[in-house]
Amino acid sequence: MGSLDNNPATFDAFAADTEGFQPLNADDVRSYLHKSVDFIYDYYKSVESMPVLPSVEPGYLSRLLQSAPPSAAAPFDIAMKEIRDAVVPGMTHWASPNFFAFFPATNSAAAIAGELIASAMNTVGFTWQANPAATEMEVLALDWLAQLLRLPKNFMMNRTTAGARGTGGGVILGTTSEAMLVTLVAARDAALRRMGSNGVAGINRLTVYAADQTHSTFFKACRLAGFDPSNIRSIPTWADTDYGLDPTRLLEVMQADVDAGLVPTYICATVGTTSSNAVDPVGAVADVAALFSAWVHVDAAYAGSACICPEFRHHLDGVERVDSISMSPHKWLMTCLDCTCLWVRDAHRLTDSLETNPEYLKNDVTDSGAVTDLKDMQVGVGRRFRGLKLWMVMRTYGATKLQEHIRSDVAMAKMFEESVRADNRFEVVVPRNFALVCFRIRPHDGMTEEAAEAVNRELMERLNRTGKAYLAHTVIGGKFVLRFAVGSSLQEERHVRSAWDLITKKTTEIMSREM
């Protein structure tokens, strides 16, 4: 009759279990979570001593763990042992205080607790009715963060002067890529409507703009949104603007497109680019965009967190004239992956493009217009309870502690920068913004750029092989540059000093060989 008839042992195993399969048995939940918490505690206590980069080869895990899925149940302790023995040795430890590559992926006890509770509740809050608390918590957390960033009230959903719902709104997405994609789609549709285009017939006339320092995910999102790759403008930047977008050059490029019969549609301005932490002038970009009715999106994924501090808020000056802004608390605001916050000045421009209204989701509250269903501000329909962990972080630590965290990281980066400048073997390639220092061994003895790249690449590889530090690189203005990003949640001044000592030691070894 089926496989069970041919496998009586399987049937007998189920028959012997008089209580049946209980995956949420309360005692098991308590036991498993206690053991998991003990594992997490041990991990954070020991991660500093682990090599930041693992010394494993591709395919290593399949050789340590069985290749076929198990047919029989096993004690939870077996899985935990395999995590310790096989998974941990293959981890790149982003939580390590010796991690200085990329941008940090910060975490905190409050965020972990919020993620745990949200995962346990396992709600799917696609509409307000599907989970009122999840929707309203997300709106509240976004409005709180918007206030810390001093965003204009018209970006908030519940914070108008009269206390009523505003026209703006926010949504928590997984990544910056998603924030770019949904706003590109909204801008695309708005431009097509202005043109009187039938459907997407005029899409090949739409143009989009960003500096060449903009994250590569922008250009990917443009293609996903249907823009012709030949109409995606990557505007060169130079050292004289610290690699930020030049509004004069932007205006020239946009006007040339108009003269050619094209339609400027969307500009992405970045506050804190990945390569060098360059800052595009938000207000000036918005002024140029207004001449062409183009959508302006501000990508503040990393550096937006710093703007909760008054001394960094000026980087967002002019934000009242943009259409959308996103930032990622999972980078620098102690909120674990994934958590990207997107605010739009007019939520209807987003929902007009992304709304879905199947019969099985219709309900009186949605029909009343009293709520915005967050499914209509994202690509998919299902969504996790991300708002809880963001709220937990702000509720537990408050603005003062979060600002202290940002300022401490910036102070450590400044200390590292001063060490680099004090050693004439090195140079800081671009002025430091926030907590990223871009530096390299200074070319010497008539060294070509190719030779300079080789020696700096060797330095990076030597550093990373030690397991005592992990740095990444970029290319700025044709120069191979090492990136030193401060901000791992466990980092202290001693880790930065230790990393600098290691850098100078390895540099001495390299230069001694050259003599």
Side-chain angles (χ1 to χ4, degrees):
M1 189 173 85
S3 60
L4 284 179
D5 283 347
N6 297 325
N7 191 352
T10 303
F11 181 81
D12 289 345
F14 278 103
D17 187 354
T18 57
E19 294 185 355
F21 180 39
Q22 296 180 313
L24 276 179
N25 176 280
D27 290 336
D28 285 345
V29 170
R30 183 184 181 91
S31 172
Y32 294 2
L33 291 185
H34 277 189
K35 291 176 180 179
S36 298
V37 168
D38 285 342
F39 168 84
I40 293 168
Y41 173 84
D42 291 340
Y43 177 75
Y44 278 120
K45 293 291 284 186
S46 61
V47 68
E48 178 178 349
S49 63
M50 299 179 187
V52 189
L53 275 177
S55 57
V56 296
E57 299 294 333
Y60 91 97
L61 194 62
S62 62
R63 294 189 290 271
L64 295 178
L65 302 179
Q66 62 189 63
S67 58
S71 59
F76 181 73
D77 289 348
I78 296 294
M80 291 303 298
K81 183 178 188 303
E82 291 181 344
I83 290 174
R84 290 187 180 91
D85 294 347
V87 176
V88 172
M91 293 288 292
T92 296
H93 296 292
W94 286 65
S96 171
N98 301 310
F99 184 100
F100 300 99
F102 312 116
F103 283 135
T106 55
N107 211 344
S108 63
I112 294 170
E115 184 84 326
L116 172 62
I117 294 169
S119 296
M121 291 179 172
N122 202 32
T123 185
V124 185
F126 34 65
T127 62
W128 182 92
Q129 182 167 279
N131 195 316
T135 298
E136 299 206 4
M137 175 64 80
E138 186 160 329
V139 171
L140 177 64
L142 286 163
D143 279 357
W144 274 15
L145 186 51
Q147 290 175 75
L148 291 182
L149 293 168
R150 289 189 289 156
L151 295 184
K153 287 187 177 180
N154 58 1
F155 279 91
M156 303 181 207
M157 197 168 286
N158 288 334
R159 297 292 175 175
T160 61
T161 52
R165 291 184 70 238
T167 58
V171 62
I172 301 179
L173 304 171
T175 64
T176 300
S177 308
E178 295 174 57
M180 290 176 174
L181 178 58
V182 297
T183 53
L184 278 162
V185 168
R188 177 200 69 191
D189 292 353
L192 290 170
R193 286 193 295 269
R194 289 198 304 272
M195 293 166 54
S197 177
N198 182 19
V200 295
I203 195 170
N204 61 342
R205 293 177 55 203
L206 306 185
T207 52
V208 296
Y209 308 84
D212 60 2
Q213 296 295 305
T214 302
H215 198 284
S216 60
T217 193
F218 169 71
F219 304 99
K220 179 178 180 179
C222 289
R223 296 194 298 273
L224 289 172
F227 289 93
D228 187 333
S230 66
N231 289 344
I232 302 172
R233 308 287 183 245
S234 178
I235 299 175
T237 58
W238 312 100
D240 57 0
T241 61
D242 293 334
Y243 297 97
L245 182 60
D246 180 357
T248 302
R249 179 59 179 151
L250 174 65
L251 176 59
E252 292 171 354
V253 174
M254 295 180 78
Q255 186 59 57
D257 282 338
V258 171
D259 295 343
L262 300 175
V263 180
T265 300
Y266 184 105
I267 305 168
C268 181
T270 305
V271 176
T273 60
T274 300
S275 279
S276 65
N277 252 341
V279 176
D280 295 337
V282 172
V285 169
D287 290 341
V288 173
L291 300 175
F292 305 95
S293 299
W295 183 296
V296 180
H297 175 71
V298 175
D299 168 18
Y302 163 73
S305 294
C307 295
I308 68 170
C309 299
E311 63 267 31
F312 296 115
R313 175 55 178 77
H314 66 278
H315 292 297
L316 294 182
D317 285 354
V319 71
E320 67 279 0
R321 302 195 297 281
V322 310
D323 298 277
S324 56
I325 178 173
S326 62
M327 57 91 74
S328 299
H330 63 233
K331 287 187 181 292
W332 203 9
L333 207 62
M334 315 305 292
T335 306
C336 53
L337 281 161
D338 50 8
C339 184
T340 290
C341 300
L342 169 67
W343 294 270
V344 289
R345 188 153 43 89
D346 184 352
H348 293 296
R349 297 180 71 188
L350 210 57
T351 58
D352 286 349
S353 293
L354 301 172
E355 183 179 27
T356 55
N357 195 26
E359 189 64 35
Y360 57 84
L361 291 184
K362 291 181 179 178
N363 61 85
D364 291 342
V365 179
T366 295
D367 292 343
S368 73
V371 299
T372 297
D373 290 332
L374 297 179
K375 69 177 177 61
D376 296 328
M377 299 177 73
Q378 63 176 31
V379 174
V381 175
R383 53 196 339 276
R384 300 193 299 113
F385 192 0
R386 294 188 182 102
L388 184 61
K389 63 185 176 185
L390 179 59
W391 176 84
M392 287 278 280
V393 167
M394 291 187 286
R395 186 67 187 89
T396 301
Y397 303 123
T400 300
K401 286 291 185 185
L402 294 174
Q403 290 168 342
E404 178 184 320
H405 152 69
I406 296 291
R407 288 168 177 149
S408 173
D409 288 347
V410 171
M412 287 190 287
K414 184 178 180 181
M415 178 189 72
F416 181 85
E417 178 191 32
E418 291 169 349
S419 297
V420 173
R421 292 189 185 279
D423 189 326
N424 61 14
R425 296 177 298 174
F426 297 93
E427 63 177 345
V428 175
V429 178
V430 294
R432 178 192 52 79
N433 281 328
F434 312 108
L436 173 70
V437 180
C438 295
F439 75 106
R440 67 173 183 166
I441 296 175
R442 187 190 304 275
H444 54 276
D445 299 330
M447 185 179 284
T448 64
E449 278 301 327
E450 290 77 10
E453 175 178 339
V455 73
N456 279 284
R457 188 181 292 276
E458 181 180 356
L459 173 59
M460 180 181 70
E461 291 172 352
R462 286 190 179 215
L463 291 168
N464 293 344
R465 278 199 302 268
T466 68
K468 297 177 181 179
Y470 179 27
L471 277 68
H473 77 279
T474 189
V475 175
I476 304 173
K479 300 175 181 178
F480 182 94
V481 177
L482 301 184
R483 297 172 70 262
F484 190 89
V486 176
S488 176
S489 301
L490 294 173
Q491 246 159 36
E492 299 173 6
E493 185 177 312
R494 62 187 176 89
H495 299 110
V496 175
R497 292 191 183 280
S498 181
W500 174 245
D501 290 343
L502 184 63
I503 289 166
T504 57
K505 176 184 177 183
K506 293 301 176 183
T507 300
T508 298
E509 291 175 2
I510 293 170
M511 289 189 168
S512 296
R513 183 201 63 198
E514 293 178 350
M515 296 178 64

